[in-house]
Amino acid sequence: MKVLLTGGAGYIGSHTAVELLRAGHDVVIIDNLSNANESVIENIQKIVQRPVNFYHGDLLNPADLDRVFADHKIDAVVHFAGYKAVGESVAKPLMYYQNNLVSTLNLLETTTRYGVKNLIFSSSATVYGIPEKLPVVEESPLSTLSPYGYTKLAIEHILTDVAAADPSWNITMLRYFNPVGADASGLIGESPRGIPNNLFPFIMRVATGELPELGIFGNDYDTPDGTCVRDYIHVTDLAIGHICALEHLGGLRIYNLGTGRGYSVMECVQEFSRACGFGIPYVIKPRRAGDAPAIYADPTRAANELNWHAQRDLADMCRDCWKYQKNKQ
């Protein structure tokens, strides 16, 4: 297949590009590089020893999308593009609604015009809010606590309505849990700009001395060690999930992509310390508003219908994170 990846130079998009190319597919990437670097494209090509069609373009500009579809006969689209920082979305909600929703509408209008109706959407476990029961299944109640989360939920509603109105669409929505890690080559990984929002980039900045210590928000939750528990999944496992989804397109489908088990913040700090060979300094801070004590997936549906299983554990995630970080230095 020839697959278009919107936001394909980003963290999850770049790893999915690598796995698609390894599996023999052709890849076209469009990215405005607002949270990525063109060197990622070069590193993807180094890893797989194959060319990547890259367009520096913005989904807010329909002409940029037209250029891609005019140049290539696209078979399917994986839609990663979008702003994704929860805190920033609270501070700048209009920016998030404008970018994430309008870019998606432009994409859907363009794909419809070119007759491309195979789509995988990069959704998020944030659509479950603070879950009432664990593990989280696809039928769990939906709610969210941030404008970022609302954009994911709104896009899911849009895609559901599109599929209901036109059954010729094949749409799969993948609800990611907490992707971490890096490609085993160490050439691509997570490298957010500015102060990181997620745990592992923060740990890496502390490990390299860029930041003095890690802030752990709360150690008095009802969890085994008092710190929050999340379902961390290796980004390569997540990327492979997209290939499985492409191979099983058909109607409207929704899947959790997670490992099915939770790791606490403290477990992650200890495992990363083992990976890098020294302790990560941290300080306990007050709880943050809206943080769920624990959230982890039930990935049974993806296992049964996509034949997908997460293969890598927390030690793999930490090792590959640190390898990527050392390669960057």
Side-chain angles (χ1 to χ4, degrees):
M1 299 175 78
K2 180 170 278 194
V3 185
L4 172 64
L5 308 183
T6 72
Y11 176 45
I12 302 170
S14 60
H15 288 79
T16 302
V18 165
E19 296 307 323
L20 283 166
L21 289 160
R22 282 174 171 156
H25 299 287
D26 290 325
V27 166
V28 181
I29 290 173
I30 182 169
D31 199 301
N32 66 5
L33 301 180
S34 63
N35 196 34
N37 192 292
E38 199 162 347
S39 63
V40 171
I41 305 299
E42 297 167 13
N43 286 331
I44 291 170
Q45 293 177 146
K46 281 182 191 173
I47 292 167
V48 297
Q49 296 294 298
R50 286 184 59 191
V52 175
N53 297 291
F54 173 65
Y55 289 78
H56 185 184
D58 197 315
L59 272 63
L60 294 178
N61 181 5
D64 288 349
L65 279 167
D66 268 319
R67 194 157 47 99
V68 174
F69 281 86
D71 288 351
H72 300 276
K73 189 179 185 309
I74 302 296
D75 297 305
V77 178
V78 184
H79 181 32
F80 297 104
Y83 295 149
K84 63 175 187 175
V86 170
E88 184 182 56
S89 78
V90 174
K92 301 176 180 178
L94 291 180
M95 184 176 85
Y96 270 66
Y97 288 121
Q98 167 76 12
N99 183 76
N100 293 5
L101 298 183
V102 174
S103 63
T104 300
L105 293 172
N106 286 345
L107 176 66
L108 291 170
E109 288 169 355
T110 304
T111 56
T112 299
R113 203 162 54 248
Y114 284 88
V116 179
K117 295 186 177 181
N118 296 320
L119 177 73
I120 293 174
F121 173 53
S122 165
S123 192
S124 165
T126 190
V127 300
Y128 295 117
I130 297 179
E132 298 169 3
K133 290 198 311 184
L134 293 174
V136 174
V137 297
E138 287 83 357
E139 294 79 16
S140 294
L142 303 181
S143 66
T144 186
L145 302 168
S146 69
Y148 160 71
Y150 278 117
T151 64
K152 290 295 187 186
L153 199 49
I155 293 167
E156 285 202 8
H157 285 306
I158 290 167
L159 295 175
T160 300
D161 290 343
V162 166
D166 181 356
S168 67
W169 276 90
N170 298 308
I171 297 173
T172 296
M173 301 188 287
L174 300 178
R175 293 173 179 160
Y176 310 156
F177 279 70
N178 296 74
V180 297
D183 186 76
S185 67
L187 290 174
I188 58 173
E190 187 171 14
S191 189
R193 294 181 179 174
I195 298 294
N197 289 279
N198 298 328
L199 176 62
F200 273 72
F202 214 117
I203 291 176
M204 286 198 290
R205 300 266 178 102
V206 175
T208 58
E210 295 173 63
L211 295 172
E213 61 194 12
L214 171 72
I216 296 178
F217 297 100
N219 66 344
D220 57 351
Y221 286 98
D222 185 17
T223 61
D225 61 26
T227 62
C228 287
V229 169
R230 296 291 181 267
D231 189 340
Y232 293 98
I233 176 172
H234 198 293
V235 66
T236 297
D237 283 331
L238 186 62
I240 291 168
H242 293 77
I243 298 175
C244 296
L246 280 169
E247 292 171 349
H248 294 84
L249 282 168
L252 179 69
R253 300 184 177 201
I254 302 171
Y255 298 100
N256 288 333
L257 292 189
T259 64
R261 69 149 291 178
Y263 299 100
S264 74
V265 173
M266 195 60 72
E267 281 182 278
C268 295
V269 172
Q270 292 166 350
E271 191 61 57
F272 199 94
S273 295
R274 282 190 280 272
C276 67
F278 52 85
I280 302 295
Y282 64 85
V283 60
I284 304 298
K285 295 187 175 184
R287 293 184 181 193
R288 291 184 302 194
D291 271 350
I295 180 169
Y296 52 91
D298 181 343
T300 302
R301 182 185 290 178
N304 290 343
E305 297 183 13
L306 303 182
N307 195 29
W308 175 85
H309 306 265
Q311 302 291 328
R312 295 158 182 82
D313 63 13
L314 185 61
D316 299 320
M317 301 174 209
C318 293
R319 181 199 64 232
D320 292 341
C321 266
W322 186 235
K323 182 177 182 180
Y324 170 67
Q325 189 63 42
K326 286 192 293 184
N327 275 358
K328 281 174 58 187
Q329 293 175 302

